[in-house]
Amino acid sequence: MERSEKLIDKLAQTRDLTDEEFLALLEDETEETREALAARAREVREAIHGKDVYIRGLVEFSNICKNDCKYCGIRRSNRNAERYRLTEEQILECADMGYDLGFRTVVLQGGEDPYFTDDRLEQIIRKLKDRHPDCAVTLSIGEREKESYQRLFDAGADRYLLRHETADEELYKSLHPEEMSFAHRIKCLRELKEIGYQVGAGFMVGSPGQTKASLVKDLRFLQDLKPEMVGIGPFIPHHDTEYKDCEAGSVNLTLKLLSIIRLLLPDVLLPSTTALGTADPMGREKGILAGANVVMPNLSPSSVRGKYLLYDNKICTGDEAAECIRCMTARVAKVGYQVVQSRGDHVSYKEKN
Ligand code: SAM
Ligand code: FES
């Protein structure tokens, strides 16, 4: 613990550690170290964001995907997944409902569904922005060409979430089919940054084959890319994948990593994810207390909620949107923070504008 205390001090002051020091911190699995990291992370997040927690309304608009990521419940080779795709009208209705409930960011997330061409997406983004000019639009629709990212940005999209999944190239290869490449994923992230999106990278904690050394590579990668957002959550097995019998990722390790990421990138927008809430009934509250400052309640129509199943036992698949926001607001308040009605942009965006 004594060594870990020194490492936490060094990390908070310099925003850096050597690989060996990162590893030592990750390998110290004591509660004291986790708590000490969380306390530091809270100090840093409160100095920048106060007690505010930003909300994002998540619209899972298609579970059709041309990719075949081995860990993912909606990958193309899962014949048991019941597929759906929302219409433009349904997507806009979700956004309208979200707006009325106080959301000022809508996140459009889906599989890589070829139906959603640039033309179709541009039209949806423009209509969203026409109806709600004070709302941010975040896209989370996977790998595309730079021209496509540019067109969607020009249509009004503000942010893009594309987890790098792992910065350990060998691990990336083992988690994905041959036609997917780590180099292309990273190229996409760099292009998104160049275009001017607020960019979110991220990874699963405890994916099959991941070591603590792989996680150190993830931390280095984040230091280098400096994304505005970082999404992390525990890996959770899905029964129709080859990883069905693998162990889920550790909640405590995820919490430690949230705190470390807060110290590495003090002003980052850091969600307390649904996967964390699925792995532990108090996971999202614990995430907030570990330094997270974003939650993403679901706005998808209840008729499709139960079909966007990336992993088993996903929470909130039966609730209406109004119920989700009420529940999240109460959970956040219970641990001493407050959900705020705002776009919740990254500080660098606010400075630019
Ligand atoms: N298609 C888009 C993409 O590739 O970025 C967005 C959807 S994708 C399903 C969103 C994220 O879900 C992935 O980046 C991955 O990290 C996470 N995910 C997929 N399967 C998971 C699992 N079994 N456990 C935890 N997270 C998972
Ligand atoms: Fe495409 Fe999971 S494999 S969303």
Side-chain angles (χ1 to χ4, degrees):
M1 175 64 193
E2 208 179 301
R3 172 154 197 235
S4 293
E5 266 172 29
K6 285 191 185 134
L7 293 179
I8 296 169
D9 277 343
K10 181 178 171 192
L11 177 60
Q13 279 159 21
T14 65
R15 299 184 197 170
D16 198 15
L17 291 179
T18 65
D19 284 3
E20 190 271 330
E21 288 171 334
F22 270 133
L23 208 52
L25 202 51
L26 290 175
E27 276 170 356
D28 175 351
E29 289 176 6
T30 60
E31 196 181 328
E32 294 99 293
T33 295
R34 196 170 64 249
E35 256 316 305
L37 265 169
R40 273 305 175 86
R42 285 196 295 273
E43 262 173 47
V44 167
R45 74 86 92 198
E46 284 173 28
I48 298 170
H49 302 276
K51 296 272 190 184
D52 291 355
V53 172
Y54 306 115
I55 44 168
R56 320 302 195 192
L58 183 64
V59 181
E60 297 159 336
F61 68 93
S62 170
N63 72 350
I64 297 168
C65 189
K66 67 178 164 60
N67 279 342
D68 213 21
C69 304
K70 294 183 191 173
Y71 43 82
C72 182
I74 62 169
R75 75 198 202 289
R76 70 159 188 264
S77 64
N78 183 9
R79 307 235 172 281
N80 296 328
E82 214 183 306
R83 304 291 170 174
Y84 73 90
R85 172 188 290 142
L86 298 186
T87 62
E88 177 186 293
E89 206 36 51
Q90 283 176 308
I91 296 172
L92 294 171
E93 275 167 19
C94 288
D96 290 347
M97 184 183 52
Y99 193 86
D100 292 342
L101 290 169
F103 289 95
R104 293 297 175 265
T105 292
V106 50
V107 181
L108 301 181
Q109 190 182 82
E112 292 192 18
D113 179 350
Y115 173 83
F116 285 99
T117 56
D118 294 344
D119 284 345
R120 290 193 168 110
L121 285 167
E122 267 181 344
Q123 185 166 307
I124 293 170
I125 296 164
R126 286 192 203 283
K127 287 189 179 172
L128 269 172
K129 285 289 194 172
D130 260 5
R131 291 183 189 211
H132 308 296
D134 55 336
C135 221
V137 172
T138 303
L139 301 176
S140 176
I141 49 176
E143 297 176 34
R144 302 175 82 90
E145 292 310 311
K146 187 170 184 187
E147 296 68 42
S148 163
Y149 288 147
Q150 185 70 58
R151 281 182 62 181
L152 304 180
F153 184 78
D154 294 341
D158 302 88
R159 312 187 189 126
Y160 205 104
L161 304 176
L162 184 72
R163 290 183 175 187
H164 63 282
E165 310 296 1
T166 170
D168 178 335
E169 201 162 350
E170 283 311 303
L171 179 59
Y172 191 94
K173 270 191 200 150
S174 84
L175 294 172
H176 297 98
E178 237 168 72
E179 70 268 15
M180 288 182 74
S181 101
F182 176 69
H184 192 258
R185 194 109 185 146
I186 303 310
K187 181 170 169 272
C188 288
L189 279 164
R190 303 235 180 254
E191 289 172 349
L192 288 163
K193 272 228 143 195
E194 277 162 28
I195 292 169
Y197 283 95
Q198 296 175 60
V199 172
F203 55 92
M204 288 179 291
V205 179
S207 53
Q210 185 183 65
T211 61
K212 298 261 171 35
S214 326
L215 291 169
V216 173
K217 291 188 182 171
D218 287 314
L219 297 174
R220 286 269 170 258
F221 174 74
L222 295 178
Q223 264 181 323
D224 178 51
L225 182 72
K226 298 187 181 53
E228 284 75 23
M229 308 170 281
V230 176
I232 69 166
F235 157 76
I236 302 175
H238 184 284
H239 61 277
D240 281 321
T241 64
E242 67 186 80
Y243 298 138
K244 62 178 185 291
D245 296 322
C246 292
E247 240 184 85
S250 150
V251 169
N252 283 338
L253 182 56
T254 307
L255 296 171
K256 263 173 82 178
L257 283 157
L258 282 172
S259 302
I260 292 174
I261 293 167
R262 169 64 62 206
L263 295 176
L264 276 183
L265 302 170
D267 41 25
V268 76
L269 295 161
L270 193 60
S272 194
T273 53
T274 306
L276 193 54
T278 298
D280 178 331
M282 291 294 284
R284 285 167 301 171
E285 290 88 330
K286 290 180 183 174
I288 299 287
L289 291 170
N293 62 341
V294 173
V295 288
M296 298 171 70
N298 205 315
L299 276 183
S300 310
S302 37
S303 56
V304 303
R305 287 278 179 98
K307 297 181 188 165
Y308 196 83
L309 295 180
L310 313 178
Y311 45 78
D312 290 341
N313 306 315
K314 186 178 171 208
I315 52 169
C316 309
T317 51
D319 300 334
E320 293 292 338
E323 172 54 17
C324 275
I325 177 74
R326 195 199 56 75
C327 161
M328 266 327 302
T329 305
R331 283 171 182 267
V332 166
K334 219 167 177 177
V335 291
Y337 290 80
Q338 62 194 20
V339 160
V340 292
Q341 186 173 318
S342 111
R343 275 175 51 121
D345 285 296
H346 187 263
V347 284
S348 62
Y349 172 88
K350 289 182 201 151
E351 281 156 14
K352 255 192 273 169
N353 294 270

